[in-house]
Amino acid sequence: MDIADKLIQEHRLTKDEGVELLNSWQDPAVADKLAAEALRVRREVYGNDIYIRGLIEFTNICKNNCFYCGIRKSNPEPDRYRLKKDEILDCCAYGYKLGFRTFVLQGGEDGYFTDERLTDIVKEIKSRYPDCALTLSVGERSYESYKLLREAGADRYLLREETANEDHYKRLHPSDLSLHTRLNCLYDLTSLDYQVGAGFMVGSPYQTMENIAEDLVFIQDLEPEMVGIGPFIPHKDTRFADFPAGSVELTLFLLSVIRILLPDVLLPATTAVASMIDPEGRVKAMLAGANVLMPNISPIEHRKEYTLYDNKEGITSNAESKLKELKESMEAAGFEIVFDRGDHKTLLKSTSDSETDELEKEEKKKKKKKRRRKRKNRKTNKRKRKKEKPAHQEPEEKQAASGKKEKTETKKG
Ligand code: SAH
């Protein structure tokens, strides 16, 4: 049996199988087969429905220096902004009027948003819009902080692992950031019962097919409710300015693979996909298995300052006309945008008995929790063992950590 058929039948991949599959991404026959299956599976779970999220980019202030990111701390270029509570609430009011029932608060790791301030905002949004889901995407925080935010009413959390390979992680981040911490955050969020979103950039600098296969295996094991992937796009003021952008075609291929691995996953056609081939980009992503769109409802005057990468899509379009345009293009492709919270659906085998349904759901949830606990224990033990060994750091990363290289590059930019 070839590897694509195996994936279709078993909904699982080992790392080696992932690499083998990825080596055929440029073969249209394989890509088409996977896309057709992804679409079939997606229809089985979500019909032709497309969920929408109103994206609010509420701060571009960040304490981190991720090498790929345009709003990293050491970039002097963007004018920094931070929305006031009232401005965030205005975005929600506007989004609500347009029909959005999920708001996503995304931003840099901005110290101003302490637990107290952020929980206050979360509570206010949830009390004004109890029929809406609230997603946070504000990076790494402590378990206690995630807990407070969850208790305040946050429903979902997006935190891409960026890469599941430790060495690759080090090549994309300064040494004060670690994959270890990133993954722990994901496990914390999972244990707090958030609907969790993981994910990675496709074609990020130094990424190999092995790395992508590792991400696929990581995602299939974590079983997040959402997966965000998009092509890496270079930003002129970063050390990766001259690296090539990731491939949209490979991204589409991976959307199909992820849909097949996790049939009930919420899978957005990300802005990065649209930025490279709008307007067909989003339709192509849907045809490859995606089922979520995240139009920007942030104030237009700040959009150009939230440049994670160059030529970002949607900098000037207002949400109302964007939504209209999306509705039309999605309908033309046979999909329908629905105006509800668009929660994750647990895939159930077809049965007419709703009681069995409920039992199965409970059973599935329990099993998932158990698997996650086991995995977390395994990781902790592995880390404990590793701690005994000295930490490995490459010369290049040392230089980056000292900030030397950062300075030269800033000048260059
Ligand atoms: N501070 C938050 C939000 C980060 S921005 C956090 O740490 O999670 C959201 C995502 O944009 C990132 O997770 C990253 O995968 C993506 N991103 C950043 N720079 C990018 C680039 N140059 N090209 C493509 N995607 C990028």
Side-chain angles (χ1 to χ4, degrees), residues 29-30 54 147 160-161 179 217 273 288 297 306 351 353 366 395:
V30 180
K147 187 162 179 278
R160 294 181 177 182
E161 77 278 9
L179 179 60
V217 170
V273 174
I297 59 168
Y306 199 87
T351 162
D353 185 345
K366 267 190 217 155

Side-chain angles (χ1 to χ4, degrees), residues 109 139-143 146 157-167 169-170 173 176-192 196-200 211 214-224 372-373 375-380 382-383 386:
E109 290 194 18
E140 297 171 13
R141 300 175 79 98
S142 66
Y143 177 86
Y146 289 148
Y157 205 104
L158 306 177
L159 187 86
R160 294 181 177 182
E161 77 278 9
E162 312 296 357
T163 170
N165 177 286
E166 209 156 323
D167 290 328
Y169 196 93
K170 284 184 189 153
H173 301 93
D176 60 333
L177 296 173
S178 74
L179 179 60
H180 168 146
T181 310
R182 195 86 180 163
L183 297 186
N184 265 347
C185 287
L186 276 169
Y187 298 132
D188 286 346
L189 291 163
T190 303
S191 71
L192 288 163
V196 171
F200 56 96
N211 294 154
E214 283 170 277
D215 276 298
L216 293 175
V217 170
F218 170 73
I219 282 169
Q220 101 184 337
D221 286 346
L222 183 72
E223 293 185 79
R372 283 175 166 177
R373 252 201 320 275
R375 206 169 34 240
K376 195 172 175 186
N377 287 341
R378 261 206 313 274
K379 289 258 170 196
T380 319
K382 199 171 153 191
R383 273 197 300 275
K386 257 201 151 168

